[in-house]
Amino acid sequence: MIDKHSPIPIYLQIEQLLTEKISNGELQPGDALPSEPEMTALYGVSRMTIRKAVDYLVRQGVVERQRGRGTFVSEPKAEFKMSLPLDKHLTSSEVAEFLNAPIQNKLLHLSKDVANEKVAEALKVEVGTAVWLMTRLRLIGDIPFVYESTHMLYEPFKDLSEDDLNGSKYLYVEQHGFKVMGSQKQIRAELPSQEVRTHLGLKRDEPVLNASSTAYLDDNIPFEVSSIYYNQEYYTFTLSSDR
């Protein structure tokens, strides 16, 4: 039970006890955890301590709260993790080859827009220049792992279509006589919007990896700038360096 003289915080001891009950099958996926008053009486601690222990399990994705119903053991997640090189620029088809798994691009939005100051600076064009605005989701099977919002030059890609974006965007670019040379990314942890959380299936309000990316054609011409969110539940990066 609880050792109040242990150097291990009491809330972590309770978290470990609950985790053991889930691991040994005493609590199954879909089962409700005991209520806070029940656990307060069971473990002889305050409701605040119980809440802190359960909060920890929620953040780990082991349990989930359902408004008005209680807290339930989560369904086990798919044993699936992608590890991609951070120092390489890979197209969707190259990612699929790298992972040996099919990638699906799902277009969420496409419209003609104009470049604001930030976009214009990244693309090296005048403010007000015509650009495409698009958002896409990338999936492996039914697992969403990337949400991407992109501004792309309208010229010379004014015949860009929804079909092109549900397929390979870079194949479309190459079919127009251009070669994608690579990209520069700035990666940071960021709290995603509700829209991003919904599309990536994120259950918790927590930081995820976000990349601000600018992609270049030959002759170092920038042609698109993107904000990319990675579902880190299934995504890790690797970075190699030489001495």
Side-chain angles (χ1 to χ4, degrees):
M1 292 297 288
I2 300 301
D3 182 358
K4 295 186 177 180
H5 301 290
S6 170
I8 300 174
I10 293 175
Y11 81 92
L12 284 179
Q13 294 184 53
I14 295 171
E15 177 270 328
Q16 291 170 359
L17 290 170
L18 292 172
T19 298
E20 287 174 7
K21 289 184 177 183
I22 294 169
S23 298
N24 65 25
E26 186 176 341
L27 287 171
Q28 296 284 333
D31 285 351
L33 295 189
S35 67
E36 286 185 2
E38 289 173 333
M39 285 194 279
T40 295
L42 177 63
Y43 297 117
V45 298
S46 69
R47 291 184 66 166
M48 184 176 296
T49 300
I50 296 297
R51 189 172 298 128
K52 193 172 182 180
V54 174
D55 284 345
Y56 187 88
L57 291 173
V58 170
R59 289 195 299 272
Q60 301 303 310
V62 177
V63 302
E64 57 186 75
R65 288 191 174 97
Q66 297 182 17
R67 189 182 299 274
R69 297 191 60 215
T71 304
F72 297 82
V73 178
S74 300
E75 294 292 334
K77 296 179 176 63
E79 292 297 324
F80 178 73
K81 196 83 170 180
M82 286 168 280
S83 180
L84 293 177
L86 188 60
D87 53 347
K88 295 183 184 297
H89 180 83
L90 300 179
T91 67
S92 292
S93 57
E94 289 170 335
V95 170
E97 182 178 351
F98 189 89
L99 297 173
N100 193 29
I103 302 289
Q104 175 190 353
N105 290 310
K106 181 180 179 182
L107 180 66
L108 304 174
H109 173 81
L110 175 65
S111 64
K112 187 178 178 182
D113 199 3
V114 294
N116 60 26
E117 186 173 346
K118 183 177 180 181
V119 171
E121 181 180 2
L123 295 178
K124 298 181 180 179
V125 297
E126 296 292 330
V127 173
T129 298
V131 293
W132 287 111
L133 171 61
M134 64 196 75
T135 54
R136 297 197 303 170
L137 197 62
R138 292 183 184 176
L139 306 97
I140 291 186
D142 60 353
I143 298 175
F145 71 100
V146 170
Y147 177 97
E148 176 187 79
S149 177
T150 299
H151 286 90
M152 178 177 169
L153 292 177
Y154 183 76
E155 294 283 357
F157 307 117
K158 60 184 178 182
D159 63 345
L160 182 69
S161 70
E162 294 185 4
D163 287 342
D164 295 319
L165 294 173
N166 281 319
S168 172
K169 177 175 58 180
Y170 286 179
L171 176 61
Y172 162 86
V173 169
E174 292 177 357
Q175 288 173 342
H176 281 64
F178 299 94
K179 184 175 181 181
V180 179
M181 298 302 294
S183 65
Q184 290 184 344
K185 293 185 176 74
Q186 292 182 336
I187 296 180
R188 61 186 181 275
E190 183 177 304
L191 278 173
S193 66
Q194 183 60 53
E195 179 182 1
V196 174
R197 288 178 58 199
T198 298
H199 283 298
L200 287 180
L202 305 176
K203 296 179 180 178
R204 303 182 300 281
D205 188 12
E206 64 180 3
V208 298
L209 289 177
N210 170 260
S212 296
S213 173
T214 303
Y216 296 85
L217 302 174
D218 34 10
D219 295 330
N220 205 34
I221 298 172
F223 78 100
E224 69 170 8
V225 57
S226 303
S227 180
I228 307 168
Y229 292 88
Y230 300 93
N231 187 341
Q232 58 202 39
E233 184 176 337
Y234 304 107
Y235 219 115
T236 59
F237 286 107
T238 60
L239 179 62
S240 299
S241 60
D242 298 322
R243 293 186 61 184

